[in-house]
Amino acid sequence: MKKTAILVLGILWSGMFVSAQSIDKQAPQGFDVENTSIIHGKIDSISYASKTVGVARKALIYTPPGFTKNKKYPVLYLLHGIGGDEKEWFTHGKPNVILDNLYAQGKLEPMIVVLPNGRAMKNDRATGDIFAKDKVEAFSTFEKDLLTDLIPFVEKHYPVKKDRENRALAGLSMGGGQTQNFAFANMDKFAWLGAFSSAPNTKEPKQLLPNPQEAKKMKLIFLSCGNADNLLINTTKTHNYLKENNIPHIFYLEPGGHDFKVWKNDLYIFSQLLFKPVDQKEINQFLEKK
């Protein structure tokens, strides 16, 4: 395999519009460096009542440059890994910086980004044995917390669009597994899926999609992983199943391992595809060259 970014498209897309935008397969140098000369979005900490867990839980929320309560926005829920919490993306992935820079270049649809704690338990800190059974199970419990507690809180307190076509779910590693598990199980709630380097918590393909043709409801299925990541099998299994069943999706195999260099690049690409017509010409540039 060539050591360049490769994007494999399982099947041809249909019903897509064409725009003039071009997306780099690898983010350019400086994409994650703060630019003091541009307008910035805002990161806030929020606290919401979780009936699922029985305590108040925390999340971070990013509002884009020029945010106004007089406009309604689509929402991306962005999930962390097994060793992280609601601050992991912010601390290591600089999503606010990456998105600010993309907004300054006119490459994003304005959106709100919510960074939750995907470990839904009373003591949800990433301390002690992060692989303990109760902590791992809490990542599954988060599905209910997300759907019945967090999303309603965001929709009550922020000017957001509430339909599935304006709601995206994405995550890295354990959060990538959650993204696949939750989004495929709740396609009436999410239309955009971005699973980066999914961990072994990802359900087997036939459990994810017992009726695979239903996945054609999704606006975009974006699966990615580093080519040196020993967890690649989790992403590959889903990709192969989708390909066998002729489900439109992107499988992005890129240089790198299981780390934020890969995940920041994934966010850079995925965010530019969100909440806009999917561009067939844009997709074609990522096709693997034979």
Side-chain angles (χ1 to χ4, degrees), residues 31-32 89 92-93 98 260-268:
F31 80 106
D32 57 349
W89 266 105
H92 302 289
I98 294 171
F260 267 98
K261 181 179 179 181
V262 167
W263 303 326
K264 287 193 290 184
N265 189 61
D266 293 335
L267 178 62
Y268 173 85

Side-chain angles (χ1 to χ4, degrees), residues 93-111:
K94 301 181 179 179
N96 54 315
V97 175
I98 294 171
L99 299 180
D100 283 349
N101 290 339
L102 285 169
Y103 279 120
Q105 298 170 53
K107 292 186 175 181
L108 295 186
E109 285 296 309
M111 71 185 83

Side-chain angles (χ1 to χ4, degrees), residues 237-249:
K237 283 191 293 186
T238 304
H239 159 61
N240 288 339
Y241 184 72
L242 294 175
K243 184 177 180 180
E244 289 165 7
N245 287 281
N246 296 322
I247 306 303
H249 69 288

Side-chain angles (χ1 to χ4, degrees), residues 130 189 195 201:
I130 59 173
K189 301 291 194 300
N201 63 318

Side-chain angles (χ1 to χ4, degrees), residues 80-128:
H80 61 81
I82 195 169
D85 56 26
E86 72 276 6
K87 295 181 179 179
E88 182 180 40
W89 266 105
F90 177 69
T91 302
H92 302 289
K94 301 181 179 179
N96 54 315
V97 175
I98 294 171
L99 299 180
D100 283 349
N101 290 339
L102 285 169
Y103 279 120
Q105 298 170 53
K107 292 186 175 181
L108 295 186
E109 285 296 309
M111 71 185 83
I112 290 173
V113 182
V114 180
L115 300 97
N117 186 321
R119 187 183 297 100
M121 58 192 302
K122 289 185 177 178
N123 179 6
D124 59 8
R125 297 302 93 188
T127 56

Side-chain angles (χ1 to χ4, degrees), residues 141-263:
T141 303
F142 180 65
E143 179 176 4
K144 183 178 179 182
D145 180 68
L146 173 65
L147 297 175
T148 65
D149 299 315
L150 179 55
I151 289 177
F153 175 89
V154 171
E155 293 183 346
K156 180 179 179 180
H157 293 89
Y158 288 85
V160 301
K161 298 178 181 179
K162 300 179 181 180
D163 59 287
R164 64 179 292 274
E165 293 193 0
N166 286 287
R167 194 181 296 124
L169 187 64
L172 65 88
S173 193
M174 198 75 164
Q178 286 177 307
T179 294
Q180 292 197 54
N181 295 345
F182 301 169
F184 282 132
N186 298 279
M187 287 184 279
D188 60 326
K189 301 291 194 300
F190 302 98
W192 308 81
L193 181 163
F196 314 151
S197 311
S198 296
N201 63 318
T202 310
K203 293 179 180 178
E204 290 296 311
K206 289 184 179 180
Q207 289 181 290
L208 282 174
L209 286 167
N211 299 306
Q213 296 307 308
E214 291 186 1
K216 289 182 178 178
K217 298 176 184 177
M218 302 296 284
K219 301 289 282 186
L220 178 67
I221 299 170
F222 181 94
L223 309 176
S224 63
C225 196
N227 60 8
D229 190 333
N230 57 14
L231 296 183
L232 174 59
I233 187 173
N234 304 305
T235 303
T236 303
K237 283 191 293 186
T238 304
H239 159 61
N240 288 339
Y241 184 72
L242 294 175
K243 184 177 180 180
E244 289 165 7
N245 287 281
N246 296 322
I247 306 303
H249 69 288
I250 291 171
F251 174 46
Y252 179 32
L253 186 61
E254 61 193 296
H258 200 74
D259 55 51
F260 267 98
K261 181 179 179 181
V262 167
W263 303 326

